[in-house]
Amino acid sequence: MIAQPQDFPASIPPAPEKNLRAIRAALVTAQDREAFDAGLRAVLDEVRVSLDLSALNAFVHRWWISACDSAKDPEGRRRMHARAEQIIVGEPSRRGRSWREVLTERGIEL
């Protein structure tokens, strides 16, 4: 049996294509787009000098993962950047539960 498009939940957006244009278009925050642009310039400079495309391939793969995250949960991506900005400017951090507490609650011993 072959899966058909209607077999998948409509609420999950499709992953962007794994190419530079689609990846950049999927990025929902200005911070991601600016970092993508700066990183692309740097990696293309590196490729021009080394004539080795492996750095570009790694760049595409890393940013494709971020683009998939942006497509799947754009609001979560925005919250992540907002929280990172709060940390950078020194706002106090809300203390959540430690991993140890969560794992202990689930009956997992370290």
Side-chain angles (χ1 to χ4, degrees), residues 84-102:
E85 186 61 34
Q86 290 171 339
I87 291 168
I88 289 169
V89 298
E91 288 185 21
S93 177
R94 296 176 304 210
R95 170 96 164 85
R97 296 183 324 166
S98 72
W99 281 109
R100 187 174 303 279
E101 292 168 326
V102 172

Side-chain angles (χ1 to χ4, degrees), residues 99-100 102-110:
W99 281 109
R100 187 174 303 279
V102 172
L103 294 175
T104 300
E105 179 183 287
R106 294 181 182 178
I108 301 170
E109 294 194 29
L110 300 177

Side-chain angles (χ1 to χ4, degrees), residues 8-69:
F8 297 99
S11 62
I12 300 173
E17 292 182 38
K18 203 170 186 180
N19 66 60
L20 294 170
R21 186 179 310 277
I23 290 168
R24 189 176 191 292
L27 299 174
V28 295
T29 67
Q31 297 95 322
D32 280 340
R33 288 187 300 273
E34 290 165 7
F36 176 88
D37 292 344
L40 181 58
R41 282 189 296 276
V43 80
L44 290 176
D45 287 344
E46 181 182 335
V47 168
R48 273 195 240 6
V49 171
S50 69
L51 300 177
D52 180 3
L53 290 176
S54 62
L56 180 59
N57 290 332
F59 174 86
V60 168
H61 181 72
R62 281 191 312 269
W63 277 101
W64 179 74
I65 291 169
S66 293
C68 289
D69 185 47

